[in-house]
Amino acid sequence: MTSVAGHLISTEFESRYRAWGSCNPAELFDAGITTFVQDDKKVIAKNIETQARYCSKLFIWTDCDREGEHIGTQIREIARKSKPNIEVIRAKFSNIERAQVDLDLWNTTSPLTCSRHIIQAARRPILLDEKQANAVAARIELDLRTGSAFTRMQTQTLKSLMDHVQENRLISYGSCQFPTLGFVVDRYFRVKNFKPETFWSIKVAHQKEGVTVNFNWQRVHLFDRMVVVILYERCLQARTAKVTKMQRKPTSKWKPLPLTTVELQKMGSRFLRMDSQRVMKVAEELYQKGWISYPRTETDQFDRAMDLKAIVQRQTQDGNWGSFAQGLMNGGFNQPRNGRNNDKAHPPIHPVNYVTRDRLNDEEKKVYEFVVRRFLACCSEDAKGETTTVEIDYGGESFHATGLLVLQRNYLDVYWYDRWESSQQLPQFAVGGTFIPFEAKMTEGKTTPPGYLTEPELIALMDANGIGTDATMAEHIAKIKDREYIMTRTRGSSGGAAAATDDADDEVIGGGSRGGRGGRGRGRGGRGGATGGGRGGSGGVQELIPTTLGVALMKGYDDMGFATSLSKPFLRKELELKLKAICAGTTTKSAVVQESLEQYREVFARTSQQIGVLKAVNMLPSSHQSAADAC
């Protein structure tokens, strides 16, 4: 028995193509490629060769996913160097089952209990899945050819146009790297090109039982002032408002789903003030030390066979969340919600064992605490509350007011990353009853721009568009930072478009107790309004700003007028669908590689013909300067 550590074999061009000046970058689409064992893996490979000499059968136990199958084929290739006729089989098992066995290891010393699923997998071996391995091989070859060709072309052509560029600096391209940058640049232009629009609204207030009830207009706001003036005058002429609905009903705030890699990266960036790459690095360290489960998983549902209460029990000793865990053990436990994803390889991320805070560094404490609180929240109940809704008709216009009373916080008591607070309680209104509003006013506001993209938002876009995997998204974001295509800054720390405010002075039209000069309103989008979330009170959220170079690259490719720009996610998304087709057996590696290379070759040829368009884009400001500052 022996082990490996990830991929053993790398793919590279034949030696005559490796030097940058050795060939025209276009030749790399057809250049010969070779495989070799990485230097840091040669000891492992040598060990496999040695072991294989004395064996008649090779039993593969790598993860049962695409990457695991591909690593399995690499192990087979190395083993057959010393034993060409060795029989190769693989175990079909689930790490979800293994998670249950890990719990058994803590609770029993019985080797039979611990090895049940291992015995079952060993008794029913299967062959390596060549289709999944071929899908990975296709991706590796395409990434090598397209990335190298475009990177060499861009660097050789554009470096001379830029100031302060180091001699060894790359202007790199990657089929995931560029769409990731494209999302950041798209948001930048939405902020830069935003034109505020004036809107008008009607606000109504009434005092009852000592409570001031603010009613919101059903239309929210309109962009035609004269129309709003006419509707506002109708309200004033009506004098009285009639209650059309009074409803109290129970409501819930759902507890979170079990934790996936993508969600860990998003939440870590938002609440732990760590970038996604650092979050994953710390999570890997916690996993290797045995404190949490494998942190790279798409699964957001726990297998029913897992003894989740045993995990909860271990957390009862903690001084911060131990009492909550004990409450779950005393009858408060509820089965976690099931999401829609199950990669059949790994369970959701969860704590495996309890560790005291003095054994962790500061970053480990934050990530471990988040994983534990998320898991305990999953095993709790939804928060319970009651909503009160009052609707009125005033001059033919509908208005409504809503109140919330939180009755049972439940999971919120441990999962403080969610907020759900009681609002002002509404008094009782009788349906059909009438009243004269205490105040009616017409307000004016302006739409506000979206914020620059944040890392959680970027990860969500990448996930929705199939850019990268849960395991590689953080790496792609880190890469465009390293290449100085984007910069990060604390939201609200600089002027320009990013410093735009949500607040706008409202002009209040009217007079007396039903008008007068009134408070402040807030423009919330409308046509061209904010879609990126509120900007106020962001509390140190890091936003992603493209540099001058990053904007120039995206704008240059867009200006070439390709039907499918390299800055958009469509080519990569299409490739992911083709890789799935290889796994399903509906196409082959060779067909996908050839078809995809033809697409990229055409884009490369047109780019070379129109390279003047790319050169014409202003790249002269230092690439270290953000595009927002350069404006």
Side-chain angles (χ1 to χ4, degrees), residues 298-463:
E298 299 176 12
T299 302
D300 56 7
Q301 50 189 256
F302 281 105
D303 189 273
R304 287 280 179 174
M306 287 186 66
D307 185 2
L308 301 182
K309 287 186 178 181
I311 307 176
V312 173
Q313 176 65 50
R314 293 192 202 100
Q315 299 298 328
T316 58
Q317 57 192 300
D318 188 80
N320 292 311
W321 54 78
S323 59
F324 186 89
Q326 188 60 57
L328 297 182
M329 296 304 298
N330 292 342
F333 179 87
N334 279 264
Q335 189 68 21
R337 294 166 55 199
N338 279 342
R340 299 180 178 180
N341 305 301
N342 191 335
D343 60 18
K344 304 294 185 182
H346 304 286
I349 304 167
H350 62 275
V352 172
N353 197 26
Y354 177 71
V355 57
T356 56
R357 296 174 65 84
D358 59 354
R359 299 179 65 182
L360 303 175
N361 63 40
D362 289 342
E363 290 184 328
E364 289 173 337
K365 289 175 187 175
K366 290 195 291 186
V367 175
Y368 180 75
E369 179 173 356
F370 175 78
V371 170
V372 173
R373 289 184 180 276
R374 176 71 171 235
F375 172 73
L376 295 177
C378 289
C379 297
S380 183
E381 287 189 82
D382 298 337
K384 307 292 184 183
E386 180 183 79
T387 57
T388 302
T389 303
V390 181
E391 295 182 2
I392 62 172
D393 180 278
Y394 184 39
E397 292 298 304
S398 295
F399 298 82
H400 67 276
T402 303
L404 169 67
L405 175 63
V406 177
L407 301 173
Q408 300 174 35
R409 289 180 54 80
N410 295 331
Y411 88 89
L412 293 170
D413 284 333
V414 73
Y415 194 68
W416 56 29
Y417 312 98
D418 276 358
R419 298 185 66 85
W420 201 47
E421 305 291 344
S422 294
S423 63
Q424 184 183 50
Q425 298 307 294
L426 301 184
Q428 185 68 32
F429 286 83
V431 175
T434 61
F435 61 84
I436 298 176
F438 166 74
E439 183 180 58
K441 60 184 180 181
M442 178 175 164
T443 63
E444 178 181 308
K446 290 184 181 293
T447 56
T448 56
Y452 289 113
L453 209 61
T454 64
E455 193 160 317
E457 292 171 331
L458 177 56
I459 292 170
L461 285 170
M462 295 172 70
D463 186 40

Side-chain angles (χ1 to χ4, degrees), residues 25 60 77 96 110 127 193 324 335 340 386 445 501 525 584 627:
I60 304 291
E77 178 182 336
I96 293 175
S110 168
L127 298 177
N193 299 328
F324 186 89
Q335 189 68 21
R340 299 180 178 180
E386 180 183 79
T501 175

Side-chain angles (χ1 to χ4, degrees), residues 7 67 139 143 172 174 176-178 180-181 261 265 275-281 284 294 296 455 458-459 462 467-483 485-486 572:
H7 291 271
E67 299 299 325
R139 188 223 349 124
D143 285 348
S172 66
C176 288
Q177 186 184 135
F178 259 43
T180 301
L181 172 60
T261 302
Q265 293 176 85
D275 65 44
S276 55
Q277 188 179 44
R278 188 62 196 157
V279 169
M280 290 308 300
K281 176 66 174 175
E284 289 277 3
Y294 188 59
R296 299 185 184 275
E455 193 160 317
L458 177 56
I459 292 170
M462 295 172 70
I467 303 302
T469 66
D470 57 348
T472 62
M473 289 179 188
E475 297 172 10
H476 299 313
I477 297 173
K479 181 63 71 176
I480 62 175
K481 290 180 183 177
D482 292 342
R483 294 289 186 247
Y485 294 161
I486 68 171
R572 185 67 190 198

